[in-house]
Amino acid sequence: MRWPLQPHPVPALASAFQDRTPLCGRIDRARAEHASVVLSGGGGTGKSQLAAAYAHRALADGVELVLWVDAADTEQVITTYASTARLVAAPGAAGSDIEEDARAFVNWLATTPRSWLVVLDDITDP
C-alpha cells in the first residue's frame, strides 16, 4: 500500500463550478480545529461540488487519505468504511465482520497521526 490513498474517486468538478471562497475559509478553520463540517441545504445548491472541490484541494495539499463515500444508504457507508479499514490495516479489521471492520476504521480515524478527509456525500441523517 502506498500513501496517499484515495480508495474511491472524487467526482470531477462541473465546468460551471463556482468557488465559494468565504465558505472554503470557514471549512479550513474547522479543519484546523479538527472539527466536522456539515454542508446542508436543498438539492442542486452545489454542496457536493463544493465538497468535491475541497477534496481535490486536499489531495493536492498532500492529505494522506481522502475518502469519498456515497452516503445515501447506510449500508454503503458501512461497506466503504469496512473496506477502507482493511486497506489501511486498521487494528481490529479482520475481514470477517463488516460492522466490526467499519468500527475499526472509525477508531483508526480517531487515533491515526495520518491526515485524512472523509466526505459523506448525500447523507440523509447525520
Side-chain angles (χ1 to χ4, degrees):
M1 162 181 49
R2 296 191 60 195
W3 296 90
L5 295 176
Q6 182 187 357
H8 300 276
V10 174
L13 295 180
S15 60
F17 173 72
Q18 296 177 8
D19 189 14
R20 294 170 176 90
T21 304
L23 184 52
C24 287
R26 291 174 50 198
I27 294 170
D28 289 340
R29 287 189 294 283
R31 181 175 166 219
E33 297 169 5
H34 303 289
S36 298
V37 176
V38 177
L39 301 175
S40 65
T45 59
K47 299 175 302 295
S48 292
Q49 282 288 293
L50 181 59
Y54 198 83
H56 284 290
R57 195 172 94 208
L59 287 165
D61 288 347
V63 171
E64 294 171 281
L65 172 67
V66 174
L67 180 61
W68 189 273
V69 183
D70 178 357
D73 175 54
T74 303
E75 289 303 312
Q76 183 63 37
V77 175
I78 293 168
T79 299
T80 302
Y81 276 20
S83 64
T84 306
R86 292 186 299 276
L87 182 65
V88 301
S96 57
D97 183 323
I98 194 167
E99 290 185 7
E100 276 298 313
D101 288 356
R103 278 191 285 278
F105 179 64
V106 171
N107 291 335
W108 181 87
L109 290 173
T111 59
T112 185
R114 294 194 178 276
S115 58
W116 54 269
L117 172 67
V118 174
V119 175
L120 298 172
D121 187 43
D122 205 19
I123 192 166
T124 56
D125 183 6

